[in-house]
Amino acid sequence: MAQTKRNDQVFGIFCLVISTLLLVHNADAFQFTVGGPRAKWEVPTDATFYNHWAENNRFQIGDSLLFVYAASQDSVLQVTRDDYTNCNTASPIQRFTDGHTVFRFNQSGPHYFISGESQNCQKNEKLIVVVLADRSRNRPAATPPPSSPPAPAPVVEAVPPPSPAPAASSPPPPPEVHPAAAPGPSHPQHHNAASSTVASIGGILGILVASSFM
C-alpha cells in the first residue's frame, strides 16, 4: 500500500515537471493570424498583400499560423515551391478544411501555402513564410575579438658618452740658449800686420840657425 502511494507521488511529480517544461517552451512561441489580427484567408484586393504581411514579421520554429476562412467555401494547402508557383492543388503536402486552421512550424526554411480553390490561388490567395530559427535553441556566445598585442616598447638607442676633451698639450720646452762666447777684444788691422812680419822674421832666423849647424 505504501509502495503504491509512493509510486503515485513520483508519477505526479514527473507529470508536473513535463507540463512545466511544455509551458515554458510554448510561452516563447507566438501565433500569427494570417494577414493580420482581423484578416481572413480569402482572395486579397492587393496582389502582394499576404507576402508583404509575411515579410514584415519574423517567424521561428515553434511559432504557428492561424488561417481563418469559411470552411464551406475555401481551404488551405501546404505545397511545394513548384505547386505554389503553378497553383497546383492536386497533390498538396497537407490539406486543411476546418475553417480555423493552426499550422505549427517545426523546421526552418520557406513554407508555401495556397488556397484549395485553384481560381483563388490564381488571384494571389497564396503565401510564402520563411522560418528563421528555433527560438528555444541556445545560440553560441559571440566570440570576443582577439586582444591586440601590446605595443612594443620604444627602442632607445644607446648614446655613446662624449669623448673626453683632449688634455691640454704642455707647451714645448723653451729651446736651450747657449750663450755665445764673448768675442775677444778686437785688435786694429795694423796689429795683425805686425804679427805677420814678426812671424816671417822668426822663420828666417830659424832657417839661418839651422843652416849654421850643418
Side-chain angles (χ1 to χ4, degrees):
M1 181 73 176
Q3 182 67 29
T4 302
K5 185 176 181 180
R6 185 179 297 107
N7 290 341
D8 291 342
Q9 290 176 343
V10 171
F11 180 75
I13 293 173
F14 176 78
C15 291
L16 179 61
V17 171
I18 295 299
S19 300
T20 302
L21 292 176
L22 291 175
L23 287 174
V24 171
H25 179 73
N26 291 333
D28 202 26
F30 191 83
Q31 184 177 88
F32 297 85
T33 300
V34 174
R38 298 183 180 181
K40 291 185 178 181
W41 181 240
E42 59 187 3
V43 175
T45 56
D46 181 359
T48 61
F49 172 74
Y50 287 116
N51 286 337
H52 182 70
W53 168 83
E55 290 171 358
N56 290 332
N57 291 280
R58 293 173 62 87
F59 304 93
Q60 296 184 343
I61 294 175
D63 291 343
S64 59
L65 296 179
L66 172 61
F67 294 85
V68 180
Y69 54 95
S72 61
Q73 300 176 5
D74 211 341
S75 60
V76 180
L77 307 182
Q78 182 191 12
V79 295
T80 63
R81 179 179 177 179
D82 288 342
D83 288 347
Y84 171 89
T85 303
N86 300 318
C87 286
N88 180 13
T89 62
S91 54
I93 299 172
Q94 294 188 77
R95 183 187 297 271
F96 306 95
T97 60
D98 57 354
H100 197 271
T101 300
V102 176
F103 181 89
R104 183 182 177 85
F105 297 115
N106 56 16
Q107 63 181 7
S108 60
H111 295 70
Y112 302 92
F113 304 92
I114 63 174
S115 170
E117 301 296 323
S118 180
Q119 65 273 18
N120 289 359
C121 177
Q122 296 290 346
K123 296 177 182 178
N124 298 302
E125 188 182 341
K126 54 185 180 178
L127 169 68
I128 302 174
V129 173
V130 178
V131 178
L132 301 179
D134 186 355
R135 193 183 278 115
S136 64
R137 184 174 300 169
N138 293 328
R139 295 176 174 81
T143 305
S147 57
S148 56
V155 179
V156 179
E157 295 184 359
V159 179
S163 302
S169 58
S170 56
E176 296 182 3
V177 178
H178 299 283
S186 58
H187 299 284
Q189 188 68 27
H190 66 273
H191 179 75
N192 291 336
S195 299
S196 300
T197 302
V198 171
S200 300
I201 295 173
I204 294 171
L205 290 176
I207 294 172
L208 292 176
V209 172
S211 60
S212 64
F213 288 96
M214 296 181 63

